[in-house]
Every structure is written in structure tokens, then in C-alpha cells.
Amino acid sequence: IAKLYPFQVFRHRIYVPILNFIDHIKDKSRKISTQKYIELEDLGISKKAGVRYESISYSKLKLLLLFSLKEGFSNFLDIGCGLGRPIIVAGEIGYSNLYGVDISSILTDACKMNIEKMGLKAELECSDIDNYDLPPGKLCIFLFNPFGKEKIENLIDKIKNRNQDTLILYHNPKHSNLFPNNFKFNEFNWSNFGLYEEKCFCYLIPAKLID
């Protein structure tokens, strides 16, 4: 029923704008700006490189990141960090080390400004993920479906070679089939009153055994 035209009109014209407005107010209270939709083409980047920037809600982020923190992962990396909302929430709730990477220097510069306004420190890098060296330590990685199949596969291979455990929070997991089932650790689902579903799959990839 929720897929019928009247419900979808309600979703796009009323429900989603209300959610966006709530997070816009939360931005304003922090004196930052993260509630935007930004297409890659507007940044001078081919859409083949990934998908547009958009934000997950503050409330959902806090739930996911508190879960990761309780599992012992105090180092946080946002791949496709955009304007920095996940990094900021991670800093607010007590992560020790914050990292972000994005293919756009425009976004990493804006992310840096938002983070500095919050009085936080993070190591940011403008880079294609294939050329990025993952940070050390037990690491939580946040992915909001930032790119396609090939780069996800390359990222998984890179994570498998880490010497410490990695917890991946994969929101809007379009390529979840690329992760072996035994890596799946948890799952979060939101129905949004039946209008549409949001999911986040959590994968725990253990440290590579040293010979």
C-alpha cells in the first residue's frame, strides 16, 4: 500500500522534508551545515566515480555509532565523508580518533570547516579510496553506499589484510552480496511508518592472522 502514488507523494512532499528540516535545525544548533544533497557532477566529478552526497539522520547515526563504540571500536573512519556529519556525531559521543576520506576536495574542505566549528580534530584526506591507506587500530568504518561494486570489492580485500579487527557500518547496503555471510555481525532496520525502508548491515572482519 505504501508504494501507491498518494503515499509516495506524502513521502516526498511532506514526510522527508520534515525529517530534513529536523536535521537542518540540529545543524543550526551546532552552527554547521551538513543537511544537503550534492550530485557528483556539480563537483566536477563523473557520476561513474560514486553516488551523490546525502546525509543519514542524526538520530540513526547516534544509534549506530553507540553500538560500534560499545563493541570496543573507538577509531572511526567515514569513507565518502562529504560534509562531515558522521565524523561529528562520532566525536560528540566519544570516539578517540576520527578520520575521513572523500574524492572531492570541495567536500573535504567543507568537512574540515564543520569539524573545526565543533572544536573537534580529524585526519581528512582527499583521495580515491583505492589509493587511501586505512588507519591503524580497531577501526569502525561508515559507508553510506559511497560507490559501486568494483570499489567495494577492492575495499573488502584491503580490510581483510588489516592486522586488527574492522567493524563496517554499511548504510543503504546496495552491494551487501559482496560480503561473505560469516562477516555479518548485526543489522538495523527502519520502516519509516511503512513509507520506505532504511537498512544498515554491520560486518565484522577479523584481523588478518600473522604467519
Side-chain angles (χ1 to χ4, degrees):
I1 294 177
K3 293 182 179 180
L4 296 177
Y5 180 73
F7 289 93
Q8 289 306 303
V9 170
F10 175 79
R11 168 189 170 182
H12 291 290
R13 293 187 180 179
I14 299 176
Y15 182 68
V16 171
I18 288 174
L19 295 182
N20 290 342
F21 178 74
I22 291 171
D23 281 332
H24 179 70
I25 294 300
K26 292 180 179 179
D27 269 1
K28 285 291 186 182
S29 70
R30 293 168 171 82
K31 299 181 180 179
I32 61 174
S33 177
T34 64
Q35 185 57 44
K36 294 182 179 180
Y37 298 94
I38 303 175
E39 302 292 343
L40 290 183
E41 293 95 327
D42 295 336
L43 299 168
I45 299 171
S46 169
K47 62 182 180 180
K48 294 180 181 179
V51 298
R52 72 178 185 179
Y53 166 80
E54 57 183 293
S55 302
I56 176 175
S57 73
Y58 276 100
S59 59
K60 294 183 178 72
L61 269 175
K62 187 173 181 179
L63 177 67
L64 294 171
L65 297 181
L66 281 174
F67 162 76
S68 170
L69 200 59
K70 290 176 181 177
E71 293 297 325
F73 291 85
S74 60
N75 301 307
F76 178 74
L77 166 65
D78 185 5
I79 295 179
C81 61
L83 300 177
R85 181 180 293 177
I87 295 175
I88 288 167
V89 175
E92 286 178 333
I93 65 175
Y95 279 76
S96 301
N97 299 295
L98 305 172
Y99 305 90
V101 59
D102 201 288
I103 197 171
S104 167
S105 61
I106 295 174
L107 292 182
T108 53
D109 287 347
C111 180
K112 181 180 179 181
M113 288 179 61
N114 283 327
I115 289 170
E116 288 178 346
K117 287 179 181 178
M118 294 296 300
L120 298 171
K121 293 184 179 180
E123 293 185 26
L124 304 179
E125 187 170 330
C126 178
S127 173
D128 185 289
I129 190 58
D130 291 340
N131 302 320
Y132 179 73
D133 294 327
L134 296 175
K138 289 188 65 174
L139 183 65
C140 171
I141 296 177
F142 180 73
L143 304 172
F144 189 167
N145 188 39
F147 33 69
K149 176 181 177 181
E150 183 177 348
K151 289 188 181 297
I152 289 288
E153 289 177 326
N154 293 342
L155 177 61
I156 292 172
D157 288 340
K158 189 181 293 189
I159 292 172
K160 285 180 179 178
N161 285 308
R162 296 189 74 243
N163 292 325
Q164 290 191 270
D165 295 348
T166 309
L167 180 64
I168 300 171
L169 305 176
Y170 188 7
H171 188 260
N172 190 16
K174 290 187 176 179
H175 301 289
S176 59
N177 61 301
L178 301 178
F179 289 84
N181 287 332
N182 61 306
F183 286 165
K184 194 169 183 181
F185 185 63
N186 204 344
E187 179 177 338
F188 293 83
N189 294 276
W190 299 276
S191 68
N192 291 289
F193 301 101
L195 295 171
Y196 64 99
E197 290 187 350
E198 283 184 85
K199 295 182 179 181
C200 183
F201 292 170
C202 307
Y203 298 98
L204 180 60
I205 300 182
K208 178 183 177 182
L209 295 176
I210 302 175
D211 298 331

